[in-house]
Amino acid sequence: MKIGFISFIVLYISSLAISILPSYFKQKNNKSYRGLGASGAVSSIVFAYVLVNPMNFMGIMFIPVMLPAFLFGIIFLLVSFYLDRKQTGRINHSAHISGGIYGLLYMIVVFFTLEDINLPALFLDRIKIDSISDLFYFGI
């Protein structure tokens, strides 16, 4: 339990720095650019969860449709790539993308290093779709 807690804290703190790097390098000469927040770090935690629990349902608050975590993660990344390219609003979508990717890579390394577990293979083994009810859950 102690190793899990420490790994979680290291993931969160390190992803605070890692997730902002793409934006930093893209905007380093833009004196009017401001970047602040922890959404990239939260994205890394969400994607770490997706990798470990791909068939657990996830959704967006107040929207009554839940999807398996792996499907939610794919859609989240696709939407983030699209919105990052569009560059509208004041949301750092590249931090969400880099944080998510970092969360995946971090978990793969931690599981392999500490427990000798091949997490990508385990992820693929856990994805089981037997019926349409495995893909959608309606309700809150």
Side-chain angles (χ1 to χ4, degrees), residues 28-48:
K28 67 182 176 184
N29 296 324
N30 182 354
K31 294 192 186 296
S32 64
Y33 179 79
R34 300 288 182 257
L36 177 65
S39 60
V42 172
S43 185
S44 73
I45 300 297
V46 169
F47 277 85

Side-chain angles (χ1 to χ4, degrees), residues 33-102:
Y33 179 79
R34 300 288 182 257
L36 177 65
S39 60
V42 172
S43 185
S44 73
I45 300 297
V46 169
F47 277 85
Y49 177 84
V50 166
L51 193 57
V52 175
N53 299 297
M55 290 304 293
N56 284 10
F57 285 103
M58 295 180 80
I60 298 173
M61 191 186 262
F62 305 119
I63 297 177
V65 178
M66 308 277 279
L67 302 172
F70 80 93
L71 192 55
F72 181 89
I74 291 168
I75 292 170
F76 180 84
L77 279 180
L78 291 174
V79 168
S80 293
F81 276 117
Y82 171 75
L83 293 173
D84 187 48
R85 285 219 186 271
K86 226 176 149 184
Q87 288 296 310
T88 58
R90 299 184 68 173
I91 296 173
N92 188 354
H93 295 287
S94 65
H96 299 157
I97 297 164
S98 58
I101 292 169
Y102 177 72

Side-chain angles (χ1 to χ4, degrees), residues 10 21 26 59 74 91:
V10 170
L21 288 178
K26 189 191 301 186
I74 291 168
I91 296 173

